[in-house]
Amino acid sequence: MQRIHFDTEHSMFRESFRTFLKKEVLPHQDAWEEAGVVSREAWLKAGEMGFLLPWADEEYGGAGLKDFRYEQIMAEELAYINEAGFMLPLHSALCGPYIAEYGNAEQKARLLPGIIRGELILAVAMTEPSAGSDLAGMRTTAVDKGDHYELNGSKVFISNGLLADVVIVAAKTDPANKHAMGLFLVERGMPGFARGAPLKKLGMKSQDTAELFFNNVKVPKANLLGDAKGGFFYLMNMLAQERLTNACGAVAGAEAALQTTIDYVTERKAFDRPISHFQNTRFKLAEMRTQVDVAQVFVDRCVMDHNQKKLTPEVAAEAKLFTTELLGKVVDEGVQLHGGWGYMWEYPICKMYANARIQRIFAGTSEIMKEIISRGMKL
Ligand SMILES: Cc1cc2nc3c(=O)[nH]c(=O)nc-3n(C[C@H](O)[C@H](O)[C@H](O)COP(=O)(O)OP(=O)(O)OC[C@H]3O[C@@H](n4cnc5c(N)ncnc54)[C@H](O)[C@@H]3O)c2cc1C
C-alpha cells in the first residue's frame, strides 16, 4: 500500500541512510554478532553523516530537522536490514531528547556536540534486577552530599551498556516518597561506576546489553538532569516517543519478515509445486499483508500526530502493543512457512524471530501497554 506522509526530502534522506547502512553496517553484521557489540567506528560514521540526533539545534551540530519522520525512516531501515544491535534510535530518539528537553544550557553545550558526532554514546538505565515494570520499586539511590550526589545501586538489561559514555541513570532521591527520583548523567570513568560482562541473549546478538553497578559514585550536581525529584515524570513523558519508535521499527520488521517469507515460499517446492501455491500459504500471507498494511497506516498517522505534539501516551501504547504483537505473529508464521530452514541462523527469518521476541517486553511489556490503554478508558 502506498504511503502518503513522506515528501521528496524524506525519500532523499532514506536513500542516503540506506547507502550508509550498505557501506558501514551490512559488511560488519556478522563480526558484530560474533563480538556481541557494534563498532565505535560505525557510531562515528553515523555522526559524520548527520544521522545522530538530526533534530538537534544547529548551534550544537544538529540539522534542526524537527520532524519525527526522519527518526521513523532510520528505525525502519535498520529493521529492514535486520540490525537490532546498532541502537541508533535509542541514542537519537530516546536518550538524546532527555538531554535536550531537561538539560540546562551548560549540559547541552557540554554534551550535545559529542553526542551528535557519535563520540559520546548514550544509554538510559531504569530497570533493576528486582524492578522493571514497576519503576517506582527501584532501589538505586542518590543522596545529596552538598556539592555532589552519592549514587548506589545497580541496573540490569541496559542497552548500549558497554559502549555508553554517558548513562542517564534513574535513582531515588527521597526515601519518604517512592515517586521521587532524579535522572543523573553518569560518565565513563567515574570512580565506583562498573559494568558487568555482556548478557547472553536469545537475539539482538550484536547489542551490548549489560548490567551496571554504582558503588558510592560521586555524581557532580552539574550532572543532574532537571529537578532532583522530577525524574519519574520525565521518564513517563518520554516513554510515548520511545514506544512510537518501537512501533516504527516493529511494523517495518513485520514487513521485512513478510518479504523474506514471500521470497522463500515462491522458490521452495514441495509436492512438485512452489510452497506459495498451497492455499494455506497464500491465505497466511494474505492475512499478514492485510495486517501489516493496516498497522502501517496507524503508525504513520501516529508519527504525524507526534509531529504536532498530539500523540497521547495511550495511543503510543496502542501503537506499541499492536505492532509488536503483530511482529511476533508474522515472524512466527514466517518460520513455519520456512520449515526447518526457518530454524537455521543463516536464514534471515530465524534471526528476525529471535530479535522480535524482546519487542513485546522492553519499553514496557504488552501487559503494561494494556494497563495504560485501559486507564485511559477510565476502567
Ligand atoms: C534486551 C533488553 C534490552 C533492554 N534495554 C533496556 C534499557 O536500555 N534500559 C532499561 O532501563 N531497561 C531495559 N530493558 C528492560 C526492560 O524494559 C524490562 O525487562 C521490562 O520493562 C520488563 O521488566 P522486567 O523484566 O522486570 O519484568 P517484570 O516487570 O518482572 O514483569 C514480568 C511479567 O509480569 C507482568 N507484569 C508486571 N506488572 C504487571 C501488571 N501490573 N499487570 C499485568 N502484568 C504485569 C509483565 O508484563 C511480565 O509479563 C531491556 C530488557 C532487555 C531484555
Side-chain angles (χ1 to χ4, degrees):
M1 191 176 177
Q2 199 181 350
R3 298 168 72 187
I4 56 170
H5 76 317
F6 292 123
D7 300 329
T8 316
E9 300 84 72
H10 301 110
S11 306
M12 284 162 60
F13 182 88
R14 190 186 288 279
E15 269 318 304
S16 116
F17 190 61
R18 262 186 200 165
T19 307
F20 162 76
L21 294 180
K22 254 188 219 148
K23 200 163 158 236
E24 308 295 345
V25 175
L26 280 175
H28 306 292
Q29 282 183 295
D30 289 345
W32 292 350
E33 258 179 32
E34 202 61 40
V37 63
V38 166
S39 76
R40 270 190 179 270
E41 286 67 41
W43 283 96
L44 292 170
K45 291 276 184 193
E48 219 173 87
M49 298 290 297
F51 295 131
L52 303 179
L53 288 70
W55 47 265
D57 291 340
E58 289 173 18
E59 61 176 306
Y60 303 115
L65 296 172
K66 296 190 191 313
D67 175 348
F68 201 76
R69 284 172 286 187
Y70 293 103
E71 300 302 322
Q72 181 180 25
I73 288 168
M74 293 193 281
E76 288 178 356
E77 293 297 325
L78 283 161
Y80 293 151
I81 63 157
N82 210 357
E83 177 48 59
F86 187 22
M87 287 186 96
L88 194 150
L90 173 76
H91 179 89
S92 271
L94 175 68
C95 300
Y98 276 108
I99 295 171
E101 188 74 21
Y102 301 114
N104 57 34
E106 183 278 324
Q107 290 166 335
K108 289 192 230 182
R110 173 160 55 100
L111 297 169
L112 283 177
I115 291 168
I116 292 165
R117 287 195 297 267
E119 290 160 8
L120 297 177
I121 297 171
L122 299 175
V124 61
M126 306 174 241
T127 308
E128 300 188 357
S130 56
S133 304
D134 180 16
L135 273 183
M138 72 172 63
R139 293 181 188 164
T140 298
T141 55
V143 178
D144 191 337
K145 295 281 184 183
D147 66 336
H148 68 273
Y149 285 91
E150 190 176 81
L151 195 65
N152 277 291
S154 72
K155 299 287 175 181
V156 75
F157 307 148
I158 304 310
S159 304
N160 290 347
L162 298 185
L163 279 178
D165 302 289
V166 179
V167 184
I168 301 163
V169 180
K172 292 280 185 70
T173 47
D174 180 357
N177 176 0
K178 73 173 187 161
H179 288 107
M181 57 181 79
L183 300 183
F184 300 88
L185 300 166
V186 177
E187 296 177 53
R188 176 180 291 285
M190 282 184 171
F193 171 32
R195 308 168 202 240
L199 296 165
K200 291 194 173 152
K201 308 184 291 294
L202 170 68
M204 296 179 78
K205 300 287 187 193
S206 56
Q207 172 40 230
D208 52 314
T209 316
E211 200 166 357
L212 307 180
F213 306 95
F214 311 98
N215 186 13
N216 296 330
V217 181
K218 283 186 178 176
V219 183
K221 287 247 159 118
N223 279 23
L224 168 70
L225 271 185
D227 187 271
K229 293 187 180 176
F232 193 75
F233 167 76
Y234 303 156
L235 291 173
M236 294 304 118
N237 202 27
M238 289 301 195
L239 279 171
Q241 174 156 317
E242 180 177 6
R243 286 166 186 158
L244 177 59
T245 311
N246 287 128
C248 292
V251 72
E255 178 69 49
L258 177 57
Q259 289 305 333
T260 198
T261 304
I262 293 171
D263 292 346
Y264 184 82
V265 297
T266 43
E267 286 291 318
R268 174 79 176 177
K269 288 198 169 116
F271 301 95
D272 296 327
R273 73 195 81 160
I275 304 281
S276 58
H277 287 193
F278 296 118
Q279 189 191 52
N280 175 65
T281 309
R282 289 185 291 107
F283 280 17
K284 289 280 180 208
L285 292 171
E287 275 170 23
M288 289 188 237
R289 178 72 276 155
T290 307
Q291 287 166 353
V292 173
D293 280 345
V294 170
Q296 189 67 74
V297 172
F298 183 65
V299 169
D300 290 351
R301 163 69 191 270
C302 287
V303 166
M304 296 312 278
D305 280 359
H306 189 52
N307 271 351
Q308 296 187 351
K309 302 196 186 314
K310 285 185 187 157
L311 183 71
T312 63
E314 292 80 7
V315 176
E318 287 175 30
K320 185 188 184 264
L321 174 66
F322 190 81
T323 57
T324 58
E325 292 286 337
L326 174 62
L327 174 64
K329 274 188 223 150
V330 174
V331 293
D332 189 62
E333 294 287 8
V335 168
Q336 191 67 21
L337 289 171
H338 276 70
W341 296 107
Y343 201 65
M344 299 297 124
W345 199 251
E346 68 194 270
Y347 278 80
I349 195 69
C350 179
K351 205 201 293 192
M352 288 171 176
Y353 179 86
N355 288 344
R357 190 61 189 86
I358 188 57
Q359 298 271 352
R360 285 180 266 164
I361 296 172
F362 66 11
T365 64
S366 287
E367 292 72 30
I368 295 300
M369 295 307 102
K370 290 176 197 172
E371 278 294 330
I372 294 169
I373 297 161
S374 57
R375 239 178 275 147
M377 296 163 72
K378 314 252 181 283
L379 298 173

